[in-house]
Amino acid sequence: MPRVIILSGPGAARTIDPSKNGVVIGRHANVDVTLRSDSVSRRHARLTWEHDQVFVEDLGSSNGTFVNDTRISCRTRLRPGDLLRIGKSVLRLETLPAAEPEMTIQSLTAAATSNQELFRDHAAAKLQAVLQLAHQLGHSLDVDAVLRRLLDQLLVLLPKADQALVLMGDADDPVVRASANRSGRSATRRSFSRSVLRKVFSQTVGVLAEDTGQGQAALSNPTLNALGIRSMVCVPLQAHGGRVFGALQLDRLQAGQPFSSDDLYLLTAMALMVSPVLENAQLHEELRVTERLQRELALAREIQLGFLPSATVQLAGGPVELFAELHPALEVSGDFYDYFPLDDRRLAFAVADVSGKGMSAALFMTMVHALARHLAQTAAGPADLLARLNDAIARDNPNSQFVTMVAGFYDAVTGCVTLAHGGHPPVLLRRRDGTTEELTHRGAPLLGMQPGLRKSEEAVIQLGPGDAIFLYTDGVTESPGLHNVDELFGPRRLADTIRGMSPSASMPEWTGAIRGAVAAFSGAESTADDITLLVLRRPESSAGIPPATG
């Protein structure tokens, strides 16, 4: 039955198996095969299977679908070996037999340094070959360089081999990390026997195997020809402690001169020698990637925090007391806060929490932040702002991410606050005498899921001198308890903490008290989720009270 393999680009090494209803390929998370690339349309192309034939059709993509570098304009049949290009991904149609080729295992040997049969015969020649390989590999810590030198030397030291493969991963989902043939190019046939590979991985043994056909019968057997291998040796690559992380495979594609037990022993000895080199190179590569990622995350955090407002809030209509802070659980955050003047007397402010964590949430947050600030300039009120923001996000949201938000407009002359929210925790109001209440009104659903959602109702609150409102994300109320992770900090504890604050304390002291209460409850300085707090307080009087900063 024919299947399609992604050779390179997004989704590389993935196999697309036949489906009765066809397979839709695109950028959207809800299609059958998702290729995360800007050059791929949300629903880019469809593959359909009809008996033993495969067809591809473009679904009106922006950048087109190409078969063998020719852009198609109608439903096109794929033939074995055809290359299909969708964005940056290259796919190939392959016809494989329903059953895996049978390979007769001729010999097994334990892949262990204590295995004395590895050097039992021709010990001097084998030792010389191993030392030659060690010399060629040297002290390189570049994985690709080590693999290139390894394959080149294996083809020199084992002249029966027509090609060599390095497989990485595990027996159920192996990936050909490197290959070579005698022409110096990548192997034209990159096939392997899963049954042999499972034995190599599960039993930590080297395997010598041959096909089961004889003479012309083997040549006419399509099952055997699918692999095109007459004889093979496959041995494990082992990490420190014995874990198998890959395999070396040598293939003989021509009839005659099959591999022998001596070849198996020699390759096993070489694999035992090269495994630590490859393991160290992989660890070095992972360390370099980690260090680069940490540098990029540190830069991303710096850029992200730079989006948050830090300038002094000044309104001609009167002073404003405002303080906000954000504490990411990871290097970057999916939370954000914002505030800025709308005119001489009105201030817009918001606290939001986007779905997910890490870099994807941070990038989505940046987009939402920019949209919200832009739309607020012309919004009739916070409810109108959230409705327009929801529609703007939902129009192009291939990964179905969403955001919860509470937004408000504050009039510094009257002390009036208008609030609206979409799927966000309710705002808490603290009067000057310590009385605390939760401001409940019917909000909108989560923002960004689909356009035209129900608009939020607006709550209008008159703040008196010393009154304050508290906006927060669910990282506060959903912090788990130290002794019972199923018990959360919750709105009641938050309200109790706010109620017990001194009216003369500064707003940074107020937010510090909240974070301290959460930390004491959860028993940890760091939290499992981002924590964002924003406090807006009407000044006791307009005289001598400087504006606060976030």
Side-chain angles (χ1 to χ4, degrees):
M1 177 65 70
R3 65 180 184 177
V4 176
I5 296 175
I6 303 177
L7 298 178
S8 62
R14 180 173 179 179
T15 299
I16 304 174
D17 292 314
S19 173
K20 180 177 65 175
N21 299 319
V23 173
V24 175
I25 303 172
R27 192 179 75 243
H28 198 283
N30 293 331
V31 300
D32 301 304
V33 176
T34 302
L35 302 179
R36 301 193 182 280
S37 172
D38 292 338
S39 58
V40 177
S41 297
R42 298 177 71 179
R43 290 172 58 86
H44 195 108
R46 178 186 287 110
L47 294 172
T48 52
W49 278 259
E50 295 180 7
H51 305 294
D52 290 331
Q53 296 180 350
V54 181
F55 295 85
V56 60
E57 60 181 313
D58 187 84
L59 300 179
S61 66
S62 300
N63 296 317
T65 301
F66 296 79
V67 175
N68 298 327
D69 289 329
T70 300
R71 184 167 184 167
I72 63 172
S73 57
C74 59
R75 189 168 181 259
T76 302
R77 180 186 171 187
L78 294 176
R79 289 172 170 78
D82 279 352
L83 295 180
L84 172 65
R85 179 160 60 84
I86 296 177
K88 298 179 180 178
S89 297
V90 177
L91 304 83
R92 182 175 66 201
L93 177 65
E94 293 191 353
T95 302
L96 295 181
E100 182 181 280
E102 294 182 7
M103 304 291 289
T104 300
I105 295 177
Q106 303 290 349
S107 180
L108 296 173
T109 190
T113 54
S114 59
N115 184 358
Q116 296 182 6
E117 69 179 352
L118 298 182
F119 290 94
R120 183 180 58 198
D121 299 320
H122 312 294
K126 291 177 182 177
L127 180 59
Q128 182 181 6
V130 171
L131 291 175
Q132 185 176 344
L133 179 61
H135 176 73
Q136 287 294 327
L137 295 181
H139 301 286
S140 176
L141 289 175
D142 183 283
V143 174
D144 292 330
V146 170
L147 292 177
R148 284 195 301 270
R149 294 175 187 172
L150 170 61
L151 295 181
D152 289 344
Q153 283 301 302
L154 289 179
L155 292 174
V156 171
L157 297 171
L158 290 152
K160 294 178 185 176
D162 293 310
Q163 67 178 27
L165 307 176
V166 178
L167 299 119
M168 296 288 195
D170 55 54
D172 294 323
D173 190 22
V175 174
V176 179
R177 177 65 189 268
S179 66
N181 60 22
R182 294 209 167 273
S183 67
R185 302 186 182 124
S186 295
T188 55
R189 295 177 182 267
R190 297 157 61 93
S191 305
F192 47 85
S193 167
R194 290 183 182 272
S195 60
V196 169
L197 205 59
R198 290 191 188 99
K199 187 177 291 293
V200 169
F201 272 75
S202 63
Q203 300 181 20
T204 319
V205 294
V207 174
L208 165 60
E210 296 180 24
D211 66 39
T212 56
Q214 299 293 329
Q216 291 300 315
L219 296 176
S220 63
N221 189 326
T223 303
L224 298 177
N225 288 337
L227 284 185
I229 298 172
R230 295 305 186 89
S231 178
M232 63 177 286
V233 280
C234 185
V235 300
L237 295 167
Q238 302 175 64
H240 180 71
R243 178 182 63 86
V244 177
F245 65 87
L248 294 180
Q249 178 176 312
L250 297 184
D251 300 329
R252 179 156 183 85
L253 308 179
Q254 305 174 53
Q257 294 186 312
F259 290 113
S260 65
S261 295
D262 264 357
D263 297 320
L264 172 64
Y265 300 152
L266 177 57
L267 186 62
T268 303
M270 289 177 170
L272 289 170
M273 184 280 297
V274 79
S275 288
V277 178
L278 273 175
E279 183 184 15
N280 289 337
Q282 280 190 306
L283 291 174
H284 179 70
E285 184 179 73
E286 292 170 3
L287 180 61
R288 288 177 57 193
V289 170
T290 300
E291 290 176 345
R292 184 174 68 250
L293 180 60
Q294 288 175 341
R295 289 195 299 271
E296 291 175 352
L297 286 174
L299 178 60
R301 181 188 181 110
E302 183 179 340
I303 293 172
Q304 185 183 37
L305 293 178
F307 279 107
L308 302 178
S310 58
T312 300
V313 179
Q314 297 184 12
L315 297 175
V320 179
E321 285 191 283
L322 185 68
F323 180 79
E325 58 184 23
L326 186 156
H327 300 275
L330 303 175
E331 288 82 356
V332 290
S333 173
D335 285 6
F336 75 87
Y337 64 82
D338 198 10
Y339 54 84
F340 52 91
L342 292 171
D343 50 41
D344 288 345
R345 60 184 286 173
R346 292 186 309 149
L347 173 80
F349 59 92
V351 166
D353 182 1
V354 308
S355 59
K357 289 183 175 63
M359 188 63 73
S360 62
L363 292 172
F364 188 58
M365 178 278 287
T366 303
M367 184 265 293
V368 174
H369 176 273
L371 277 173
R373 179 167 278 225
H374 170 71
L375 295 172
Q377 302 293 337
T378 56
D384 181 48
L385 166 61
L386 296 187
R388 293 169 64 184
L389 178 64
N390 170 75
D391 292 348
I393 298 171
R395 274 196 297 269
D396 187 13
N397 187 9
N399 296 322
S400 301
Q401 290 181 271
F402 59 85
V403 59
T404 71
M405 178 182 287
V406 58
F409 289 1
Y410 173 67
D411 190 320
V413 174
T414 63
C416 181
V417 176
T418 305
L419 295 168
H421 74 86
H424 201 83
V427 174
L428 289 174
L429 168 66
R430 184 190 188 277
R431 297 295 183 183
R432 188 185 185 285
D433 62 3
T435 303
T436 302
E437 63 178 292
E438 187 178 275
L439 300 176
T440 57
H441 60 283
R442 191 185 187 201
L446 302 171
L447 306 180
M449 298 300 290
Q450 64 182 68
L453 292 177
R454 180 189 74 242
K455 288 182 66 172
S456 171
E457 296 178 355
E458 291 186 340
V460 180
I461 304 98
Q462 181 63 50
L463 296 182
D467 292 348
I469 55 172
F470 291 77
L471 284 66
Y472 56 94
T473 54
D474 58 13
V476 176
T477 50
E478 294 184 6
S479 291
L482 172 62
H483 303 294
N484 182 2
V485 294
D486 294 328
E487 183 180 9
L488 305 180
F489 187 74
R492 181 181 58 80
R493 288 186 177 86
L494 176 59
D496 290 344
T497 302
I498 292 173
R499 190 178 298 112
M501 294 172 175
S502 168
S504 61
S506 67
M507 287 184 293
E509 290 174 327
W510 278 0
T511 58
I514 293 172
R515 286 189 291 105
V518 171
F521 176 77
S522 61
E525 290 296 325
S526 61
T527 61
D529 199 359
D530 304 327
I531 285 182
T532 301
L533 293 162
L534 184 148
V535 183
L536 186 151
R537 180 168 61 185
R538 188 178 186 188
E540 293 280 359
S541 68
S542 60
I545 302 179
T549 61

